[in-house]
Amino acid sequence: LSTDVPLAGSPPSVFVNCPFDADFRRSMRAIIFTCVHAGFYPVTAGSSGQTGRPRLERILAALNACRYSIHDLSRCRGEGNENLARFNMPLELGMAMAIRGTNAQPGAHEYLVLVQDQQHLYQRYISDLAGLDPQMHNGTPERIVAEVLAWLLTAAEAPAELTPDEVIGKLRKFDETLDALQRSWRDGSLPWARVVEAAAKVARATY
Amino acid sequence: VVRSGPIRQTSIVDRRPPRVFISHSLADTAAAEELAKSLEAQGIEAWVDTEIPAGSRWPDVIRAALDAADAFVLIIGAGAQHSAWVRYELSEVLKRSWADSRKVVVPVLVGDAELPGYLRDQQVLRIRPNASPDLKQLLTFLGKPSEIAGIHRTEAGDERISRRLAELQSTAATMAETEGQD
């Protein structure tokens, strides 16, 4: 049952649940690169297995295989001509919460919830999070990197302290590397593992 | 006002008692409260979350206490890694340390609990389960300059990051090749 999640004993993995469209690209790349630089293998719904299994099953398998997950619920408004809202992200957060809440082993799954700071708007569009206090950002890579990094580095598996400045300083290089890699890939479907490999290579450059 | 290093200097410059935020999990509440009393007896303002008034919004009160603190004592017991609230406080302490490198951070490790990754290069005060930190030792830690007692990384930390990134790169390359064969 392939989930494209590294096996146990490999670097710890983190499931990333956020929009993957062009409008969120900078933020998504900031999250992915921060995960890698902090020493974690990022996994996404799109990367979780290439089998014929239903998407939801693959996502559940990936979430179960990852000890950590990050959920950015910044997108809260309807989009397009039909003004439709996307439900995938809250659904995947719910799955992560259920895994944590129903697992008898403490710390079996831990998650970070991110929202954009718009006068605590999240308290209206996802009021069930009231009291859990998600971390807020303003949509800039700087704030996103700081929030994701501060959370990941509290994990025992994080190798050492790292500062947002160190990550931000290499983010542009990662962007350029990824853009070039995507252009050079044959049919445009760059394997996810190549994205992670590129991020690790850029992050390693100064060590 | 220019403040430099040790918490005892801070109190002299600011003309107010230094403020210490004590982070702990539910299991270590008694140790945290005892420690707070001991610090208060030394003229140090100590804050623990048992002081939150009923009806208050917890996150707002905790954030205000974190903002007001000159130093942080992080009691890390066996359950700390699995407590969402402790991890929230630990991440908030880290962010405040990034914003102001003069903040002193004292990890107090209970038994064989695991340290958060960002504290692995810190000097640590170790205590047995159900015990309180030795006050004299703690005051010594709190009195150290932030260059020593603040959050920092050593060469060993750089090496661990380098090894992990190499491992990630190698794992990703192997997975990419496997994917290509599917």
Side-chain angles (χ1 to χ4, degrees), chain B residues 31-46:
Chain B
E33 285 182 319
E34 193 179 325
L35 179 62
K37 279 183 199 158
S38 303
L39 289 172
E40 296 275 0
Q42 298 291 320
I44 294 171
E45 276 185 32

Side-chain angles (χ1 to χ4, degrees), chain A residues 93-175:
Chain A
L93 170 62
M95 290 159 79
M97 288 176 152
I99 291 169
R100 178 180 169 88
T102 58
N103 202 308
Q105 186 186 350
H109 189 85
E110 300 187 19
Y111 56 83
L112 169 69
V113 183
L114 296 169
V115 293
Q116 277 210 39
D117 185 5
Q118 295 169 323
Q119 292 83 45
H120 291 71
L121 204 58
Y122 78 91
Q123 291 177 349
R124 288 159 57 196
Y125 68 76
I126 185 159
S127 58
D128 281 358
L129 289 184
L132 295 178
D133 216 39
Q135 293 289 6
M136 297 189 198
H137 64 78
N138 57 6
T140 64
E142 287 77 11
R143 279 287 300 276
I144 291 171
V145 165
E147 294 300 339
V148 172
L149 192 61
W151 183 70
L152 286 175
L153 294 183
T154 62
E157 293 100 325
E161 198 261 342
L162 190 67
T163 66
D165 287 349
E166 290 176 82
V167 179
I168 290 289
K170 297 176 193 168
L171 193 52
R172 180 186 289 266
K173 179 68 179 169
F174 173 60
D175 266 333

Side-chain angles (χ1 to χ4, degrees), chain A residues 4 36 39 67-68 100 107 110 133 135 147 150-151 153-159 161-162 164 166 193 204, chain B residues 57 59 63 81-82 87-88 91-92 95 98 115-118 120 151 153 160 164-165 168-169 172 175-176:
Chain A
D4 280 0
V36 172
R67 183 166 176 202
Y68 303 96
R100 178 180 169 88
E110 300 187 19
D133 216 39
Q135 293 289 6
E147 294 300 339
W151 183 70
L153 294 183
T154 62
E157 293 100 325
E161 198 261 342
L162 190 67
E166 290 176 82
R204 273 184 85 185
Chain B
R57 196 175 172 276
R63 245 195 307 272
Q81 275 289 316
H82 311 312
R87 289 196 63 180
Y88 169 80
S91 69
E92 290 298 312
K95 282 188 269 181
W98 287 333
L115 273 175
Y118 79 80
R120 287 176 68 177
I151 292 168
R153 194 164 80 222
R160 288 195 302 273
R164 176 65 63 78
L165 290 173
L168 276 165
Q169 192 177 340
M175 291 178 78

Side-chain angles (χ1 to χ4, degrees), chain B residues 14-177:
Chain B
D14 284 349
R15 306 277 181 210
R16 64 161 172 79
R19 295 173 181 145
V20 175
F21 180 99
I22 302 173
S23 172
H24 65 95
S25 66
L26 193 60
D28 299 309
T29 302
E33 285 182 319
E34 193 179 325
L35 179 62
K37 279 183 199 158
S38 303
L39 289 172
E40 296 275 0
Q42 298 291 320
I44 294 171
E45 276 185 32
W47 191 91
V48 279
D49 59 11
T50 50
E51 296 173 15
I52 297 177
S56 310
R57 196 175 172 276
W58 275 56
D60 293 341
V61 179
I62 290 174
R63 245 195 307 272
L66 285 160
D67 286 340
D70 303 300
F72 304 96
V73 174
L74 312 175
I75 302 178
I76 298 164
Q81 275 289 316
H82 311 312
S83 160
W85 274 112
V86 171
R87 289 196 63 180
Y88 169 80
E89 289 179 0
L90 291 173
S91 69
E92 290 298 312
V93 168
L94 180 57
K95 282 188 269 181
R96 279 155 182 80
S97 167
W98 287 333
D100 183 352
S101 60
R102 292 167 300 186
K103 303 280 186 188
V104 167
V105 179
V106 183
V108 178
L109 197 61
V110 184
D112 55 1
E114 284 184 301
L115 273 175
Y118 79 80
L119 292 172
R120 287 176 68 177
D121 291 313
Q122 296 288 113
Q123 285 188 315
V124 171
L125 200 56
R126 292 178 183 274
I127 61 170
R128 293 188 312 279
N130 305 316
S132 288
D134 178 81
L135 186 62
K136 194 175 165 191
Q137 262 190 315
L138 182 66
L139 290 173
T140 304
F141 269 70
L142 286 171
K144 288 181 180 177
S146 58
E147 291 79 21
I148 296 169
I151 292 168
H152 60 277
R153 194 164 80 222
T154 61
E155 279 183 27
D158 280 348
E159 283 168 21
R160 288 195 302 273
I161 292 174
S162 178
R163 278 199 303 274
R164 176 65 63 78
L165 290 173
E167 191 186 357
L168 276 165
Q169 192 177 340
S170 161
T171 302
T174 305
M175 291 178 78
E177 282 163 22

Side-chain angles (χ1 to χ4, degrees), chain A residues 154-204:
Chain A
T154 62
E157 293 100 325
E161 198 261 342
L162 190 67
T163 66
D165 287 349
E166 290 176 82
V167 179
I168 290 289
K170 297 176 193 168
L171 193 52
R172 180 186 289 266
K173 179 68 179 169
F174 173 60
D175 266 333
E176 292 167 357
T177 304
L178 200 50
D179 286 343
L181 202 55
Q182 279 175 332
R183 279 194 301 272
S184 70
W185 204 254
R186 293 179 294 277
D187 58 358
S189 56
L190 181 66
W192 180 254
R194 293 288 179 211
V195 175
V196 178
E197 186 185 12
K201 194 175 175 186
V202 170
R204 273 184 85 185

